[in-house]
Amino acid sequence: MEKEILKNLQSEIKNYTEEKLLPFWIQRTIDIEKGGYLTHFDEFGKDSGTDEKSLIAQTRSVFTYSQAYRHGFGGEIMKSMAEHGVKYLLEKMWDAENGGFYWMMDRAGNPTNKQKIGYGHSFAIYSLSEYTLATGDPIGLEYAEKVFDLLQKYAVDTNYGGYWEFFSEKWELMGPGAAGGDRKTLDVHMHLMEAFTTLYEASGKEIHRRKLKESIEILIQKVMHAEYGTGIPQFWANWQVAPQIKFDVVWGWDRFAEGGQKASSEDNTSYGHNSEFAWLLLHALKIGKFDTNEFKTNIEKAFYHSLNFGVDWEFGGVFVEGSHAGEVFDKEKEFWQQAEMLIGMLDAYLFTKNEKFLEAYQCIHRFVFDKMINYKTGEWWPLMTREGEPIWRHMSHSWKINYHNVRSMILSFEKLGQIIKED
């Protein structure tokens, strides 16, 4: 691909991120009166009035503003916005008696769900470590290490390995079924790898590096499909594949079913997840100074599956999910898969030098910039038809927040720069 094309794509990202995407959040999200961030906005960018502040949205926002500041996006206000969120996390959401963070608060700062959720705590580690790396403030790393220690104490399955995810306020494992206490998930293990990578980068402690390597091995040996190298969503305690069911406190089923389990509950994989896994693994190996060649086959399988089956060459963008063997089940376009595939396709090119990955990147980039961005607000539509018409129209809620797309813009900008320089 010509260098001028790559430079134009890079400029498009920079201008949009600085002039549209980050200003959307700068203008809206800080709750001056009650602390923390407002995170629910309708299609016009107006506060929807939803009375909740979730651990996932607060931590992901802290990460976003910290990463932007660390990478030179958004200016000094990114630092103060990150500081504002950390203050809220530690003063309002931290459980001083039992340790860990509450899952859900109301706007006034009162806990409405005191459960301890592994998924949310992975993002607490990730965001607080990134905050310290960005600002130099040691309080982020201090609490990231506290959460790490709590997970080692309460969440590790010392019998079969890996991590449990769903706990009560006092860190008691929840019951079976929708409560989640008898399942292990791809989601939490992938995000723990992500979190331990940044924790080790911030701390330099060998225990964090060792647990990072352990999380990588769990993903490779237990979570990813042995033949196709694709992510399997849910497992029983002994790592046998479990039908994918809806949990009580985790989003993602709004359009799949009223409840119960998916029709393709034992044969479904997300193209966005597979690409995200591969680029996060590459980053983890780099930060941990592990041998990349040891995982070359795993990385390539995940990237090539996303490329071969996930990219929509006709209408642009990336599909939601399909079979491990390749059949596409869901051809709609969701915001976060686009974001993760942008990073993944650039890393895949840097890793393999296969030009097809750059073509895939451009295909997804054009879908995002021509169809997925709502330029009237600056944010992305959450869910679109295959052709690119909005299905859901809100700009943000607890699960559709700034983490995926801002990170995607920052890292895509930098990786395009790396490709331009190398070429």
Side-chain angles (χ1 to χ4, degrees):
M1 190 173 291
E2 293 180 11
K3 187 175 290 189
E4 200 60 36
I5 294 174
L6 298 175
K7 287 182 177 178
N8 288 338
L9 294 171
Q10 193 186 34
S11 295
E12 191 173 22
I13 288 172
K14 182 71 170 178
N15 293 337
Y16 159 67
T17 305
E18 296 285 13
E19 296 172 11
K20 291 284 188 180
L21 182 56
L22 289 175
F24 177 93
W25 297 99
I26 291 168
Q27 294 163 14
R28 291 170 172 83
T29 193
I30 295 292
D31 186 343
I32 297 173
E33 182 182 354
K34 301 295 185 181
Y37 308 112
L38 301 176
T39 56
H40 291 65
F41 302 102
D42 67 17
E43 70 171 291
F44 305 106
K46 295 180 180 178
D47 181 358
S48 70
T50 304
D51 186 23
E52 69 176 40
K53 290 175 179 172
S54 69
L55 178 60
I56 199 70
Q58 300 300 311
T59 54
R60 283 178 165 183
S61 295
V62 167
F63 173 84
T64 295
Y65 309 133
S66 299
Q67 186 195 43
Y69 182 70
R70 184 181 174 196
H71 290 251
F73 278 74
E76 282 295 314
I77 195 170
M78 293 289 100
K79 181 182 180 184
S80 62
M81 288 176 70
E83 291 170 342
H84 178 85
V86 170
K87 185 174 187 289
Y88 182 80
L89 283 172
L90 303 189
E91 292 182 0
K92 296 289 188 178
M93 299 193 79
W94 180 258
D95 181 347
E97 181 180 353
N98 301 296
F101 291 99
Y102 300 129
W103 177 247
M104 191 70 70
M105 315 288 286
D106 64 17
R107 284 196 177 204
N110 305 302
T112 58
N113 184 335
K114 294 185 176 183
Q115 278 186 258
K116 307 296 160 53
I117 308 298
Y119 190 92
H121 283 79
S122 72
F123 279 96
I125 295 172
Y126 189 42
S127 64
L128 291 167
S129 300
E130 183 72 19
Y131 171 75
T132 291
L133 286 166
T135 67
D137 184 348
I139 196 70
L141 180 57
E142 178 186 338
Y143 275 82
E145 291 195 68
K146 286 182 179 182
V147 174
F148 172 86
D149 292 345
L150 285 165
L151 292 181
Q152 303 314 309
K153 181 177 181 180
Y154 293 115
V156 171
D157 180 355
T158 55
N159 188 16
Y160 292 107
Y163 292 80
W164 301 111
E165 186 171 352
F166 298 95
F167 301 89
S168 71
E169 175 187 358
K170 297 182 178 181
W171 290 97
E172 300 154 330
L173 188 63
M174 298 295 288
D182 61 348
R183 304 281 177 129
K184 294 171 182 171
T185 68
L186 160 66
D187 250 345
V188 79
H189 287 86
M190 185 177 74
H191 289 300
L192 284 173
M193 176 181 72
E194 173 185 57
F196 294 168
T197 300
T198 308
L199 176 63
Y200 174 63
E201 186 178 4
S203 76
K205 292 184 177 179
E206 182 57 29
I207 182 60
H208 299 148
R209 182 177 185 269
R210 195 172 84 223
K211 284 294 182 176
L212 171 58
K213 184 64 183 299
E214 181 185 283
S215 71
I216 293 170
E217 297 290 350
I218 289 168
L219 284 162
I220 296 299
Q221 296 173 15
K222 305 292 187 182
V223 176
M224 307 307 285
H225 195 288
E227 179 180 355
Y228 299 109
T230 47
I232 300 170
Q234 290 180 20
F235 301 85
W236 300 113
N238 63 358
W239 293 107
Q240 293 298 306
V241 177
Q244 190 180 6
I245 64 168
K246 179 182 179 181
F247 296 126
D248 290 334
V249 295
V250 176
W251 165 93
W253 281 68
D254 310 54
R255 60 202 171 86
F256 291 118
E258 292 299 321
Q261 64 186 43
K262 289 186 180 181
S264 53
S265 62
E266 294 188 46
D267 181 25
N268 67 90
T269 191
S270 162
Y271 307 110
H273 259 160
N274 295 332
S275 190
E276 185 180 15
F277 159 75
W279 82 255
L280 285 174
L281 175 56
L282 276 170
H283 183 60
L285 296 172
K286 176 184 177 181
I287 296 299
K289 296 182 173 59
F290 302 120
D291 183 8
T292 303
N293 289 326
E294 182 182 346
F295 302 96
K296 182 174 184 290
T297 299
N298 308 97
I299 294 165
E300 288 184 344
K301 280 185 175 181
F303 277 144
Y304 275 103
H305 190 278
S306 299
L307 173 72
N308 293 333
F309 303 111
V311 179
D312 185 351
W313 297 101
E314 183 177 358
F315 293 102
V318 56
F319 300 125
V320 171
E321 67 183 24
S323 165
H324 295 283
E327 180 187 358
V328 180
F329 297 152
D330 188 340
K331 293 186 177 181
E332 291 171 346
K333 310 289 170 63
E334 200 163 10
F335 74 101
W336 69 266
Q337 284 97 342
Q338 317 306 311
E340 296 308 326
M341 282 281 280
L342 287 174
I343 305 169
M345 293 300 94
L346 292 178
D347 257 354
Y349 171 75
L350 287 164
F351 190 66
T352 67
K353 299 305 183 199
N354 185 339
E355 285 274 340
K356 197 70 176 176
F357 286 112
L358 280 186
E359 294 172 18
Y361 171 83
Q362 189 175 23
C363 174
I364 300 163
H365 178 110
R366 285 269 54 89
F367 182 86
V368 168
F369 278 81
D370 296 343
K371 297 179 180 179
M372 184 150 269
I373 295 171
N374 175 9
Y375 284 98
K376 291 181 179 178
T377 65
E379 250 295 335
W380 297 17
W381 298 111
L383 181 69
M384 311 191 81
T385 64
R386 181 186 181 187
E387 295 78 12
E389 291 296 323
I391 298 172
W392 292 347
R393 305 188 70 90
H394 57 271
M395 289 294 94
S396 176
H397 58 38
S398 283
W399 287 92
K400 196 272 178 184
I401 194 70
N402 44 44
Y403 149 76
H404 284 289
N405 56 2
V406 174
R407 182 175 71 171
S408 176
M409 294 295 93
I410 291 170
L411 296 186
S412 293
F413 175 85
E414 293 180 351
K415 291 176 192 301
L416 282 167
Q418 185 179 345
I419 293 168
I420 291 165
K421 184 178 179 181
E422 286 188 6
D423 289 349

